[in-house]
Amino acid sequence: MNQTTNQSPGQTIQSKLPDVGTTIFTVMSKLAQDHGAINLSQGFPDFEPEEALLDRVSHYLKTGKNQYPPMIGVPELRQAISSKFTQTRGVDIDPDTEITITSGATEALFCAIHSVVQTDDEVIVFDPAYDSYEPAITLAGGKTIHLPLTLPDYQIDWDALGSAITDRTRLIIINTPHNPTGAILQERDLDRIAGLIENRNCYLLSDEVYEHIIFDDEIHASAVSHPVLRHKSFAVFSFGKTYHATGWKIGYCIAPPELTVEFRKIHQFNAFTTVTPMQWALADFINDHPQNYLELPAFYQHKRDLFRSLITRSRFKLLPSRGTYFQLADYSDISDLKDTDFANWMTIEKGVAVIPLSPFYQTAPDTRIIRFCFAKQDDTLAEAAKIICAV
Ligand code: PMP
Ligand code: GLN
């Protein structure tokens, strides 16, 4: 793409993100809509949040919770999050100095990156990487260092990471459970990262939006409860994933006080805050229905297992999915098309929209793999599976 875009005679926009187009999630969802395809591409449920949660939103909408909340988030919600971490992980997090409610995890990622990354600083990401990381790094003046996760299990190459860390490395970004691969990091992986950054002026951004969508009795390894990383990390979460409400765009960041101070400087002049009635409703729901997030692994494990069993007869080869609501599938027995073309073909010709993997890479490996989202009603999965089995 060109460095510059001619707008009209005499005017030239110098793009700050010359290589960035429209995000693949928007592209594929639009294609699905245009062609009436079943949308297993962009990650969102095709079912509703819990009735009890919606009731609390209605309640607050009608009882005067419609003006600006505090910039850092409604105190009751920050307290509910803090109590949840005490109960589930035995860690004390100060709701006033360590928790900030944001307009989705996306805003939290952006603010965290801008809090610590200065011009020419390096930030390490692991490919395939979620697509919002690099543009935020670029806008902060940083340089993104892409390290590929190793195939076939999408694990960190520790030697490569050790060699990539320099005095310029200011931030490492991890994501567990991992979008798009469904891989997870274990506690011992966090220990290794901690060992590498403990004595450096380097921080961790831990994207944990799928913290509760983890399978086969695995325990989510969180930076928040790691003895070293707890003091060096921004940990980012999303209520959109946990409560089937991706359109609400509410997330939060947990970081130690000195990092939170910088984080809030950015947040207050970016989004400033996020929607009031949903914050109040979520506070009540977290307190009153803890079983809801505790049951989420089983809820989604059922969908993963159902979807896998429904398409096991297909010509797609299924990779493991240890967490998230995504399932990777190798289509090399079906087609030689590159993944973006194959995803378009699946959507337009076959009627099931999927996500290609190459947009998550700086240099994509020579694989034929696409991503399905199984956060769908069982009937939707069954209908899609019929098509997938016939491909
Ligand atoms: N990180 C990852 C890995 C995600 O998959 C997503 C969204 N699906 C986000 C961040 C952004 O979450 P939100 O919608 O709350 O902004
Ligand atoms: N994170 C979602 C996905 O991976 C999409 C979010 C978005 O569209 N911005 O599908």
Side-chain angles (χ1 to χ4, degrees):
M1 239 173 266
N2 290 334
Q3 280 295 121
T4 55
T5 313
N6 285 326
Q7 195 187 30
S8 60
Q11 275 189 51
T12 309
I13 296 173
Q14 185 88 34
S15 177
K16 290 188 154 191
L17 297 170
D19 299 326
V20 170
T22 302
T23 159
I24 190 66
F25 308 117
T26 297
V27 169
M28 294 315 298
S29 270
K30 178 168 188 317
L31 201 66
Q33 202 170 14
D34 290 351
H35 293 272
I38 300 173
N39 192 356
L40 304 192
S41 66
Q42 188 179 24
F44 62 88
D46 72 344
F47 44 87
E48 291 298 300
E50 290 290 325
E51 200 61 36
L53 175 57
L54 297 178
D55 285 346
R56 296 317 289 157
V57 175
S58 306
H59 168 76
Y60 286 116
L61 276 169
K62 290 178 184 152
T63 51
K65 299 295 187 206
N66 294 301
Q67 308 309 326
Y68 292 130
M71 179 271 280
I72 62 175
V74 164
E76 285 76 358
L77 179 55
R78 287 182 285 105
Q79 183 57 57
I81 294 166
S82 172
S83 303
K84 177 187 157 187
F85 273 86
T86 306
Q87 285 154 23
T88 57
R89 297 193 163 267
V91 285
D92 288 330
I93 300 162
D94 186 326
D96 294 329
T97 62
E98 298 187 293
I99 301 176
T100 311
I101 312 298
T102 58
S103 290
T106 310
E107 196 233 335
L109 293 165
F110 187 91
C111 294
I113 289 166
H114 279 258
S115 299
V116 292
V117 176
Q118 310 244 4
T119 308
D120 295 335
D121 280 351
E122 293 180 356
V123 181
I124 294 176
V125 306
F126 298 98
D127 285 0
Y130 188 61
D131 68 349
S132 84
Y133 304 155
E134 180 156 19
I137 296 163
T138 305
L139 290 173
K143 183 173 173 210
T144 307
I145 308 295
H146 294 261
L147 298 183
L149 294 172
T150 56
L151 297 172
D153 293 334
Y154 296 103
Q155 295 298 305
I156 292 175
D157 178 339
W158 295 104
D159 291 339
L161 178 59
S163 322
I165 296 177
T166 70
D167 288 345
R168 290 191 144 168
T169 311
R170 198 66 53 236
L171 188 66
I172 297 175
I173 305 182
I174 57 170
N175 170 215
T176 183
H178 185 254
N179 178 10
T181 68
I184 57 172
L185 294 176
Q186 307 282 357
E187 207 60 41
R188 61 176 178 274
D189 298 312
L190 298 190
D191 290 343
R192 289 182 89 155
I193 293 170
L196 288 166
I197 66 171
E198 188 168 10
N199 298 315
R200 289 182 172 273
N201 184 20
C202 178
Y203 302 93
L204 182 71
L205 172 50
S206 184
D207 180 343
E208 304 183 20
V209 300
Y210 300 101
E211 59 170 335
H212 292 302
I213 311 181
I214 185 160
F215 310 132
D216 308 318
D217 297 323
E218 293 282 358
I219 309 275
H220 169 60
S222 176
V224 175
S225 43
H226 190 279
V228 173
L229 296 178
R230 158 110 180 73
H231 305 288
K232 301 208 67 151
S233 301
F234 300 91
V236 167
F237 302 86
S238 172
F239 291 118
K241 313 290 170 195
T242 303
Y243 294 119
H244 318 312
T246 59
W248 292 4
K249 294 300 297 181
I250 308 183
Y252 60 97
C253 176
I254 297 180
E258 63 280 14
L259 292 182
T260 294
V261 166
E262 294 307 315
F263 182 96
R264 289 176 178 171
K265 288 182 193 173
I266 318 271
H267 165 70
Q268 69 179 341
F269 294 123
N270 182 4
F272 176 66
T273 185
T274 193
V275 284
T276 310
M278 274 77 169
Q279 290 194 55
W280 284 94
L282 284 163
D284 288 353
F285 196 74
I286 294 170
N287 290 330
D288 297 346
H289 300 272
Q291 83 287 356
N292 193 273
Y293 60 78
L294 297 174
E295 288 166 2
L296 205 60
F299 175 82
Y300 273 119
Q301 186 167 325
H302 159 79
K303 294 204 177 289
R304 178 199 66 171
D305 293 346
L306 173 69
F307 184 57
R308 286 177 70 97
S309 71
L310 287 169
I311 62 173
T312 190
R313 288 184 302 101
S314 76
R315 290 193 292 157
F316 288 91
K317 287 181 291 223
L318 303 183
L319 281 72
S321 170
R322 301 199 160 87
T324 74
Y325 41 51
F326 302 120
Q327 172 64 59
L328 292 189
D330 181 319
Y331 61 89
S332 55
D333 288 348
I334 301 170
S335 168
D336 273 341
L337 285 175
K338 65 175 185 174
D339 63 356
T340 41
D341 293 339
F342 185 78
N344 288 346
W345 178 79
M346 277 291 292
T347 309
I348 297 167
E349 303 297 333
K350 296 292 163 183
V352 174
V354 300
I355 291 286
L357 241 56
S358 53
F360 295 75
Y361 280 95
Q362 180 182 49
T363 309
D366 187 25
T367 49
R368 302 279 175 277
I369 297 174
I370 46 89
R371 187 195 83 178
F372 293 110
C373 171
F374 56 77
K376 305 294 163 188
Q377 298 173 55
D378 292 357
D379 288 349
T380 311
L381 295 176
E383 201 188 332
K386 272 193 217 146
I387 300 173
I388 292 166
C389 287
V391 173

